[in-house]
Amino acid sequence: MTELHGSADDIAQQWREAVGRGDLVLLDGFHALKHALRFGADVRLAVAEDPEGVRALAAELAPDVAAQVARLVRGGGLRELVARVHPTGVAALAVRPDRAEGRARLDRQPRTAPVVVLDNPRNLGNVGAVVRLAAGFGATGVVTRGDLDPWHPNVVRAGAGLHYATTVDRVGIDTLPAGPLYALDPEGQDIRALTLPDDALLAFGSERHGISPELRERADHLVALPMRPQVSSYNLATSVAMTLFHWGGPRVTPQE
């Protein structure tokens, strides 16, 4: 973690130089910064319109990382550095997790939680919402197929920085993690009749087109969510939430 020093102009210059490196992730807003710090992100720079206000927010909402936020955040002209200032008035840059380490987690056997597969997703906000769900449910990771970058700033924004709480990557049909593939499809078996194993790949298509033919062919099981007739579809994040809830969610450790 690197603290900023100098005038507002110096801080802006350090920010632009860091962005130019190309290996940093924009954490847009306090909640993204909070979650990234909680899950071990290497945060390099943080800038706020009102640093004292952000420190107070951290003390109120996230006392576990308040000291880190207090040391890290510095005042600066945020409107000159980001396209849209988050209502909490803070943004940060953090190192993207090592991709090889993430891939090793996806490939590790036996897995204790499923991997969510998004087949050619189109909406950045929906992908971020899925990452947030996956982190909350303790999924091993979220992988995407297609040209959408799951680390796009708008995805990270929608995911509230919880990319650092799970593994997020882009894969091809031939580089999917190992495990039985359960593809969500209206023609599949009712999910209520199934038990989803911990090492499952849970694949979701786009709301408009559904699962692609190549992934459908690769699937070991087709699974359908219950839905009344004449309703077209569920939102992507809703479908993922229903499926992960059916799987079972994070393991609860008994309190001693």
Side-chain angles (χ1 to χ4, degrees), residues 43-196:
V43 178
R44 293 300 176 88
L45 313 174
V47 177
E49 300 264 307
D50 175 12
E52 288 306 318
V54 171
R55 293 184 181 107
L57 193 63
E60 177 186 359
L61 300 181
D64 54 315
V65 295
Q68 291 173 275
V69 172
R71 289 195 302 269
L72 187 66
V73 69
R74 293 291 182 271
L78 203 54
R79 286 177 173 78
E80 301 175 4
L81 305 178
V82 296
R84 180 179 57 167
V85 177
H86 191 273
T88 54
V90 62
L93 295 172
V95 177
R96 179 170 171 169
D98 183 81
R99 192 174 184 186
E101 292 180 2
R103 183 68 210 201
R105 286 191 293 272
L106 294 173
D107 290 335
R108 189 173 297 139
Q109 293 290 330
R111 280 197 304 268
T112 58
V115 174
V116 175
V117 180
L118 302 183
D119 190 25
N120 294 305
R122 310 311 307 164
N123 185 285
L124 297 167
N126 277 345
V127 176
V130 169
V131 171
R132 194 168 184 172
L133 279 165
F137 273 95
T140 296
V142 176
V143 298
T144 63
R145 292 187 62 237
D147 56 6
L148 183 147
D149 177 10
W151 282 88
H152 186 283
N154 288 353
V155 179
V156 179
R157 180 186 180 111
L162 285 163
H163 282 59
Y164 289 90
T166 187
T167 299
V168 180
D169 202 0
R170 182 162 45 181
V171 300
I173 190 72
D174 297 325
T175 57
L176 286 168
L181 178 58
Y182 290 73
L184 275 289
D185 187 280
E187 298 179 9
Q189 184 178 1
D190 191 318
I191 194 172
R192 291 170 292 186
L194 298 172
T195 297
L196 299 175

Side-chain angles (χ1 to χ4, degrees), residues 249-255:
R251 302 292 186 260
V252 177
T253 303
Q255 297 293 322

Side-chain angles (χ1 to χ4, degrees), residues 21-42:
R21 289 174 40 191
D23 63 342
L24 299 181
V25 176
L26 174 64
L27 303 174
D28 196 9
F30 174 74
H31 297 294
L33 174 60
K34 168 192 72 178
H35 283 137
L37 289 172
R38 278 180 175 166
F39 291 97
D42 180 4

